[in-house]
Amino acid sequence: MKKAILFSLLLFIGAAYHVEAQVSAGVYRLSSATFVAIGTDPDNKIFGEARVSTGSNVGIEGTFGYNFIQKDEVNFYSGFHLGQEGNRDGFYLGIPLGVLVKPFAAKNFGFLMEASPIFRDERSNYFRAGLGLKYTFR
């Protein structure tokens, strides 16, 4: 039994050593809500994030983006959000326009600026914008 566990552990460590998964984590202050995010590598052409809004009304949001401009120092992206706020029924759709600026030599850390119109229904649409920090584990 111990040999099987040891073999499985070594196999898992070996597989993890060869896999180069890149995960990003971020904290954003968008309008009146703070979001905590985890997602794929933001330097990919197509990327995604799962966001949780914190505070009195906890909500969830999936963000999918496409990098129109990709450089070492900056990415410009757009895409869509699909989310749900904790204090309301139903889902909302958003169209983000964002810039990720990576000013340091190590391109793991960046500053995010994002603006997004949010479409809930015909009477409660609004505009959201803000700043954040993002770190990519490579």
Side-chain angles (χ1 to χ4, degrees), residues 2-22:
K2 289 182 182 179
K3 289 182 182 180
I5 292 173
L6 182 61
F7 178 74
S8 299
L9 183 62
L10 288 174
L11 186 63
F12 175 75
I13 291 171
Y17 180 74
H18 289 293
V19 173
E20 295 182 17
Q22 295 157 345

Side-chain angles (χ1 to χ4, degrees), residues 100-118:
L100 176 64
V101 178
K102 301 167 281 186
F104 303 111
K107 301 302 178 190
N108 292 8
F109 181 76
F111 298 100
L112 179 90
M113 294 168 273
E114 185 178 282
S116 177
I118 303 295

Side-chain angles (χ1 to χ4, degrees), residues 28-134:
Y28 316 132
R29 181 68 178 173
L30 303 173
S31 293
S32 61
T34 301
F35 286 83
V36 177
I38 188 161
T40 62
D41 187 355
D43 288 332
N44 292 340
K45 196 67 167 171
I46 297 173
F47 63 94
E49 269 187 344
R51 298 178 178 180
V52 176
S53 64
T54 59
S56 60
N57 298 319
V58 176
I60 58 171
E61 176 178 285
T63 299
F64 304 94
Y66 179 83
N67 281 314
F68 290 102
I69 297 173
Q70 282 183 282
K71 296 188 178 182
D72 284 342
E73 303 82 22
V74 67
N75 290 352
F76 173 75
Y77 67 90
S78 186
F80 69 93
H81 306 296
L82 184 60
Q84 192 276 330
E85 292 177 336
N87 62 341
R88 298 182 181 176
D89 292 330
F91 289 93
Y92 64 81
L93 177 69
I95 303 171
L97 291 173
V99 175
L100 176 64
V101 178
K102 301 167 281 186
F104 303 111
K107 301 302 178 190
N108 292 8
F109 181 76
F111 298 100
L112 179 90
M113 294 168 273
E114 185 178 282
S116 177
I118 303 295
F119 304 103
R120 174 167 300 287
D121 58 35
E122 61 276 353
R123 287 174 285 184
S124 61
N125 300 328
Y126 59 95
F127 187 76
R128 178 175 87 184
L131 302 170
L133 304 172
K134 184 178 277 198

